[in-house]
Amino acid sequence: MSVRKRRVRFAPSPTGPLHMGGVRTALYNYLYAKQTDGDFILRIEDTDSQRFVPGAEKYIIDSLKWCGIYPNEGVDDNGNIVETASEKHPHAPYRQSQRKPIYKQYAEMLIANGYAYYAFDSSEELDSKRKAAEANKTTFIYNYQTRKELKNSLTISKEETEHLLATTNHWTIRFKNPEDEIVVMDDLIRGHIEVNTNTLDDKVLWKAVDELPTYHLANIVDDHIMEITEVIRGEEWLPSLPLHYLLYKAFGWTDSQPRFAHLSLLLKPDGKGKLSKRDGDRLGFPVFPLKWINAEGETSRGYREDGYYPQAFINMLALLGWNPGTEQEIFSLNELTDAFSLERVIKSGAKFNPDKAKWFNQEYLRIQTNAQLAEQFIPILKEKGITITEAANKNCNELKNTYTFNYVESLCGLIKERAHFVNDFWDICSYFFIAPTTYAPADVKKFYNANTKEIIEKVYNRIELMDTTNIHTIEEDLTTYIKENDWKMGSVMNTLRLFFVGEAKGLGIADIIHFIGKKEALQRIKTAILSLDI
RNA sequence: GGUCGGUUCGUCUAAAGGUUAGGACUCAAGAUUUUCAUUCUUGCAAUAGGGGUUCGAUUCCCCUACCGACUACCA
């Protein structure tokens, strides 16, 4: 007997940008598929015509692509949802709105076999019943009891049903829940679950408003047709699991029914409840992988635009609700694929921690080569008006604001320990490109007076004689000079730093002199003494 | 309200009946350093409460509390 090829799917609804929780769900599906050498399918669940958002589908695909998560079925090489079947994509179309004829026959099959019925109640009627029940502190459930008193194909004659179906479009198809049965379920993450069918609502399977199936029907039918073996989805679906079990049973598909794994939710960092877009705005972190601008023109920041490496983002998400059982925290996508297991997915909800996310990015920043960092930094430098030339040995200060790639590359090696993001680089090292124009008053007060002025003037002369091509000799020369004169190291160095940087912080003085060059270093000292005249 | 799920440091989590309850992030202190960072060291800090079962419960069972999801012709 052969084992079925593992086939999992990520089935988002294009109602807006993909939330980072959704990315995590996609990631777990992807890891599971890759690990078992199975298929990872992307299917668009756009059966809600009312909430459809243009651009959301593309956003989903782009986001997954940025994360390095490539579906091997459902999306073509150009990043489009596949609409016509081929060997590679045998189940096209992969957009549920385009699969409508498929669902209709299954809905009718259910009715023919007594597992579903037509219901003619209006939304308004049902709403008022719900409100009335609420007022009585009870709950209205459309089930084996109440359906007897409502207008549906079980209570009215066959003739009248047919008449209504033919003359109106105010009808839905509802699932007929069995009376007083225990549905026994098994979840890969949560284990054994039981529910009595009396507590279940006869859910709508087919909607009148847009003449489309609901999630429940479309999902089960597609998962069956597409031979899905594991359904890995969010916890919000757990309450519908009994219905889905019952649906598989009604269709006679129990033997090939997929196994289910319900992932816990991502929670907001503070307070209570699930992570939402508002939390990101409020606390200052992205909740979406990519920047998104909605129809009203409001922008939501994205991890990509905030300067996160997709590898760091994925790594962080993977560890939010799953762990390998070892102390390893940094994982490449391939390592995650090897290490991942549904058994080690956490049952409880995970509060998202933005600080830890930054830490992950820092770890990834540090393993970049200096050349890679330079490539990433150069676009920012260009925005700041800095020109980068290819010319190798050109004195970078001969042309105003022009520097070589090598200059940036070496500098990146020096500053990468100090940043979480490449986006931090400019603030950390702008003085390597442009001279300070102001000097922090507190530091001036602390490090500049008549005495230090005198010293610095001597140091100026010393620098003039120095070989500044080698960081090490600059350092040695400077420190011996300071010691010879019995000056205070901290005082002299910080005064120089103040003149070079504009404040008393930054890299080593030798590094700065070496990078900006002798001429520029001397110039900065002159400028500072002039502007801080005492 | 009902149904279902969950509960270990502030946060993410380890320990699948026997550990001084471990690690990471954050925070604090110290060391290094010419400053700021980095780095290193140390520290703070947890099994929700109550009953069982057991020689022994973070771990198994029950109750309570709390948290969450769902409760639409949304997914």
Side-chain angles (χ1 to χ4, degrees), chain A residues 118-408:
Chain A
Y118 292 105
F120 301 101
D121 325 275
S122 70
S123 309
E124 293 74 28
E125 284 167 343
L126 294 176
D127 274 348
S128 68
K129 283 191 187 298
R130 287 192 189 102
K131 286 215 176 86
E134 205 178 317
N136 284 328
K137 296 211 169 182
T138 58
T139 312
F140 171 76
I141 307 179
Y142 207 124
N143 68 3
Y144 70 102
Q145 277 182 314
T146 55
R147 73 166 86 100
K148 291 180 210 154
E149 287 131 36
L150 292 158
K151 196 177 178 186
N152 52 55
S153 60
L154 302 171
T155 57
I156 61 176
S157 69
K158 200 175 173 189
E159 291 69 32
E160 197 181 346
T161 299
E162 274 164 16
H163 175 72
L164 283 167
L165 287 177
T167 56
T168 74
N169 54 2
H170 296 300
W171 53 269
T172 61
I173 296 175
R174 283 181 183 270
F175 185 69
K176 189 181 168 192
N177 274 303
E179 187 178 336
D180 199 28
E181 263 181 39
I182 305 293
V183 185
V184 178
M185 297 162 285
D186 194 54
D187 184 276
L188 258 15
I189 295 169
R190 286 147 209 285
H192 184 89
I193 302 167
E194 291 187 2
V195 173
N196 187 306
T197 54
N198 288 355
T199 65
L200 267 25
D201 206 58
D202 284 356
K203 286 289 174 196
V204 169
L205 262 21
W206 194 274
K207 299 175 282 178
V209 286
D210 49 13
E211 297 187 306
L212 247 19
T214 59
Y215 171 88
H216 304 293
L217 209 225
N219 187 267
I220 267 63
V221 168
D222 280 346
D223 283 349
H224 171 73
I225 293 175
M226 297 186 182
E227 301 178 76
I228 300 301
T229 54
E230 278 79 21
V231 171
I232 305 167
R233 73 218 313 188
E235 189 182 52
E236 68 271 24
W237 293 110
L238 205 48
S240 326
L241 188 57
L243 169 64
H244 299 166
Y245 262 68
L246 259 9
L247 239 14
Y248 277 103
K249 195 175 163 196
F251 281 124
W253 298 335
T254 305
D255 289 347
S256 61
Q257 177 181 318
R259 299 188 295 168
F260 291 88
H262 288 88
L263 269 22
S264 64
L265 267 14
L266 254 34
L267 274 20
K268 51 185 82 207
D270 62 339
K272 298 154 188 178
K274 61 176 173 182
L275 187 64
S276 72
K277 175 192 171 312
R278 299 180 65 89
D279 300 313
D281 297 340
R282 186 168 54 84
L283 271 13
F285 62 85
V287 296
F288 301 120
L290 273 35
K291 185 169 96 173
W292 171 262
I293 302 169
N294 71 6
E296 284 76 48
E298 294 161 347
T299 302
S300 299
R301 62 208 283 188
Y303 279 87
R304 182 178 63 185
E305 289 74 16
D306 268 24
Y308 280 86
Y309 293 108
Q311 296 84 351
F313 177 57
I314 285 304
N315 195 157
M316 178 273 293
L317 276 182
L319 273 291
L320 212 48
W322 168 85
N323 77 84
T326 66
E327 285 178 5
Q328 184 179 353
E329 291 197 274
I330 302 300
F331 287 88
S332 68
L333 196 52
N334 282 336
E335 287 174 319
L336 283 174
T337 301
D338 291 338
F340 184 74
S341 72
L342 284 173
E343 292 72 45
R344 292 201 68 92
V345 171
I346 313 298
K347 293 186 179 82
S348 55
K351 279 189 182 175
F352 171 64
N353 182 346
D355 280 332
K356 189 92 185 206
K358 285 183 185 167
W359 175 80
F360 271 107
N361 205 69
Q362 183 182 36
E363 292 293 307
Y364 277 83
L365 187 141
R366 287 178 179 188
I367 56 175
Q368 302 284 307
T369 65
N370 297 343
Q372 285 172 320
L373 290 172
E375 295 285 1
Q376 295 155 19
F377 187 28
I378 283 170
I380 297 172
L381 287 173
K382 286 182 175 163
E383 270 176 39
K384 300 288 180 186
I386 307 297
T387 309
I388 307 299
T389 66
E390 293 303 320
N393 296 313
K394 198 163 177 41
N395 182 336
C396 49
N397 290 318
E398 273 178 20
L399 286 167
K400 198 172 186 327
N401 288 341
T402 300
Y403 299 87
T404 63
F405 182 87
N406 290 345
Y407 182 86
V408 179

Side-chain angles (χ1 to χ4, degrees), chain A residues 306-308 357-358 361-362 365 419-425 428:
Chain A
D306 268 24
Y308 280 86
K358 285 183 185 167
N361 205 69
Q362 183 182 36
L365 187 141
H420 285 83
F421 300 94
V422 171
N423 288 347
D424 297 337
F425 281 9
I428 293 170

